[in-house]
Amino acid sequence: MGLPNVSEDLSSEMEVDAFRRLFPLRYFERHLAESIRPDGRPLGKARETSIFLGAVASANGSALVKIGSTTILTAIKMEVMTPSLESPDEGCLAIDFHMPPICSPIVRPGRPAEASPVVSKQLSDTFSSSKMIDLKELSLVSGKAAWMAYLDIYCLDADGALFDAALLSAVASLSHLQIPVVAMNDDGKIVLVSEEDGQKREQEPVNKEKRKLTLRSIPFSLTCILHKNYILADPTAEEESIMETHVTVVLDTSGQLISLYKPGGPVLAYTSAIQDCAALTRQRVKELKSFLDKANSAMEVE
């Protein structure tokens, strides 16, 4: 008796799926008219977010972040370098964003993803503008030795809002970072001090124990899509491909505007729309800071 209903349901699902593939914009607009998205979220709501610190045991700091299906892994490796003549008392950050073919069907083997250098530059500019890290904290011996922090950021699943997830992962990994103990050997070179060597070594360590960086003005971001009179927070890859006008707002934890990115798109970003995006970002910053604080507290307990 129930078979006809099951058949009708399957047929209806197939029709909806076909309509979604053939007329994606119309499909989404029907949902937007009801102030809901196909995944069930209200227009201004971000996807579920999780932060896992210490995901890479061999790194000096690491974090795995998931925003919806978008998954980003950041690993930090610290190396001693000779500081530049212009900044003898400062270390450096080197940021590389990687998109291997596994992360998305649009990324082809042997071809660098177009988004990789763009996201890398956005991240570098964001850290520079926010002054989150005092590079003097990375100095070891003035004019002779300083830390170079290599941030390798890997996209494992690209399902929209890549910059938001990459920034969160990078910030989380920096909050997890432990700067190694180093000492100066007889030749005047800076060398790492292992925990076993620490008791034996006669040289005075340059830094006597592992330490964390002081993070100031921590930046977080939210990407929104502008479509007609609608604003969609934290878009999926499907939403980004259908509705092309994106705005990314970066604020620090005090609410200070760090940067605003609008790479293009047919919709003009009116002042009122930007203000609405900033208001959504302020709410999101509070959420992300809470998630990061909880992740760090969990690490301290362990």
Side-chain angles (χ1 to χ4, degrees):
M1 295 292 291
L3 289 178
N5 289 335
V6 171
S7 178
E8 289 174 9
D9 290 343
L10 288 174
S11 176
S12 177
E13 286 180 15
M14 291 174 64
E15 289 176 4
V16 170
D17 186 58
F19 181 75
R20 182 173 187 164
R21 286 185 285 107
L22 293 172
F23 307 101
L25 184 56
R26 286 174 58 189
Y27 175 82
F28 270 86
E29 286 180 339
R30 286 189 177 184
H31 284 80
L32 298 183
E34 302 295 329
S35 297
I36 198 76
R37 291 150 85 166
D39 60 10
R41 284 186 291 157
L43 304 191
K45 185 173 178 58
R47 293 168 290 177
E48 289 190 12
T49 302
S50 58
I51 302 172
F52 303 95
L53 299 180
V56 181
S58 59
N60 299 115
S62 61
L64 179 71
V65 162
K66 294 192 71 175
I67 299 179
S69 294
T70 297
T71 307
I72 304 287
L73 174 67
T74 298
I76 303 177
K77 201 68 180 173
M78 304 293 286
E79 291 189 5
V80 177
M81 66 163 195
T82 302
S84 66
L85 294 175
E86 295 78 14
S87 304
D89 298 314
E90 294 183 357
C92 286
L93 293 180
I95 300 173
D96 274 315
F97 181 73
H98 309 272
M99 292 186 70
I102 192 176
C103 78
S104 170
I106 66 172
V107 179
R108 302 297 182 189
R111 296 182 183 179
E114 293 181 5
S116 293
V118 176
V119 175
S120 295
K121 179 71 164 54
Q122 283 182 310
L123 290 169
S124 296
D125 291 346
T126 297
F127 286 140
S128 176
S129 300
S130 68
K131 296 181 172 54
M132 179 180 70
I133 295 174
D134 182 0
L135 295 178
K136 293 184 185 299
E137 281 197 46
L138 297 177
S139 178
L140 290 168
V141 180
S142 180
K144 293 184 178 180
W147 287 112
M148 168 71 86
Y150 290 96
L151 276 74
D152 282 302
I153 305 170
Y154 294 90
C155 179
L156 305 182
D157 192 339
D159 189 27
L162 293 185
F163 174 77
D164 299 344
L167 177 60
L168 180 58
S169 182
V171 165
S173 65
L174 286 166
S175 76
H176 176 253
L177 172 66
Q178 286 194 317
I179 299 177
V181 180
V182 292
M184 189 174 292
N185 66 12
D186 296 335
D187 298 327
K189 294 182 179 180
I190 299 292
V191 292
L192 291 175
V193 178
S194 68
E195 293 181 3
E196 294 77 14
D197 295 340
Q199 304 297 327
K200 307 173 188 177
R201 194 173 288 279
E202 296 180 0
Q203 296 91 337
E204 181 74 10
V206 177
N207 55 325
K208 297 185 179 182
E209 58 184 14
K210 288 183 178 181
R211 62 183 177 86
K212 287 182 170 289
L213 283 175
T214 302
L215 302 184
R216 310 170 178 84
S217 304
I218 299 177
F220 297 104
S221 66
L222 179 66
T223 296
C224 297
I225 281 180
L226 306 182
H227 181 70
K228 296 183 177 178
N229 60 332
Y230 302 110
I231 298 177
L232 287 72
D234 183 28
T236 63
E238 184 182 17
E239 289 171 336
E240 287 181 341
S241 68
I242 295 167
M243 297 168 279
E244 298 175 351
T245 304
H246 308 157
V247 173
T248 299
V249 180
V250 185
L251 302 176
D252 66 19
T253 46
S254 69
Q256 183 75 26
L257 178 66
I258 303 301
S259 57
L260 174 70
Y261 299 103
K262 183 182 178 296
V267 178
L268 294 175
Y270 293 104
T271 302
S272 60
I274 295 299
Q275 289 174 340
D276 290 342
C277 291
L280 289 170
T281 305
R282 277 191 287 273
Q283 296 174 13
R284 181 63 169 160
V285 166
K286 293 177 183 177
E287 291 179 356
L288 295 178
K289 184 178 184 303
S290 174
F291 294 150
L292 184 58
D293 288 345
K294 288 179 182 177
N296 277 301
S297 296
M299 287 295 294
E300 291 174 4
V301 170
E302 293 174 8

